[in-house]
Amino acid sequence: MSLPVIIVTGAAGNVGRALLTVLAPLCDIVAVDRSAEALAPLLAALPRAGAHHAIGGADLLDPAGTASVVAAATARYGRLDGLAHTVGGFEMADAAESGRDIWERMFRINTLSTVLMVQAVLGPMTAARAGAIVAIAAGAGVKAPAGLAAYAASKAAILRLIESYGDELKPAGVRVNAVMPGTIDTPQNRAAMPDADPARWVTPAEVAAAIAFLLSPAASGITGAALPVPGRG
């Protein structure tokens, strides 16, 4: 019996790398990132390394780029069972400083990339009447602190997207959910917040475990939901 085929975007990122480790023994992974050079050693170190496929350089802000990812996945494996879209960005800006540029960046990388990837995978998933999609939202999308208006709004949009998609795609057998991490313990966040206590943050492995659950048959009754993964903060 063939294993599920899962696309993981942002596969060389902190959460993406952790997710590759979780999924590799159980799935055939299509690992997508801006850099093919970054993907090659990651996939080589995974269990069942030869079963996985790397795609570097695809533009996930262009419908042609997302379509090319899905076409490559289905050409190699003949099926597509899941999408974990971990691509995203974070920027802080006070209200008086949040010009058009930051709003465009946050909505493009967080919201638009999610929309385009979901649209790209729906063809094979709806044809098979099965599939699971997981996006990355954030706790700030529910309650936004000061200085995060653009980021929080882009993540709130993802929450509304997965609710609408989840309801719309129920008849097609496709589940759409999100995780809502708190602050993730990454080198970048440690450098940006040197006075914080990272022991209170959620780890990439914990976020990856939540994503893997939502992709799995164990979550077969869940769609249109956002799973909080706040850590200990």
Side-chain angles (χ1 to χ4, degrees), residues 123-148:
M125 288 187 181
T126 55
R129 301 196 64 79
I133 297 168
V134 182
I136 306 286
V142 176
K143 175 64 175 176
L148 291 182

Side-chain angles (χ1 to χ4, degrees), residues 24-131:
L26 308 170
C27 306
D28 292 337
I29 300 169
V30 179
V32 182
D33 202 86
R34 288 174 293 183
S35 170
E37 291 77 12
L39 290 174
L42 291 176
L43 267 62
L46 293 176
R48 305 174 49 256
H52 311 304
H53 183 59
I55 299 177
D59 184 356
L60 303 188
L61 294 174
D62 181 347
T66 55
S68 71
V69 167
V70 174
T74 54
R76 171 156 180 167
Y77 298 102
R79 60 187 290 178
L80 179 59
D81 301 280
L83 165 68
H85 182 58
T86 78
V87 169
F90 173 84
E91 289 187 54
M92 297 184 67
D94 292 336
E97 302 168 354
S98 57
R100 174 176 173 170
D101 56 345
I102 188 173
W103 285 90
E104 290 184 343
R105 283 195 301 273
M106 290 295 92
F107 270 83
R108 282 176 62 79
I109 190 63
N110 291 327
T111 314
L112 181 61
S113 72
T114 302
V115 170
L116 294 180
M117 273 309 309
V118 170
Q119 289 177 338
V121 301
L122 286 184
M125 288 187 181
T126 55
R129 301 196 64 79

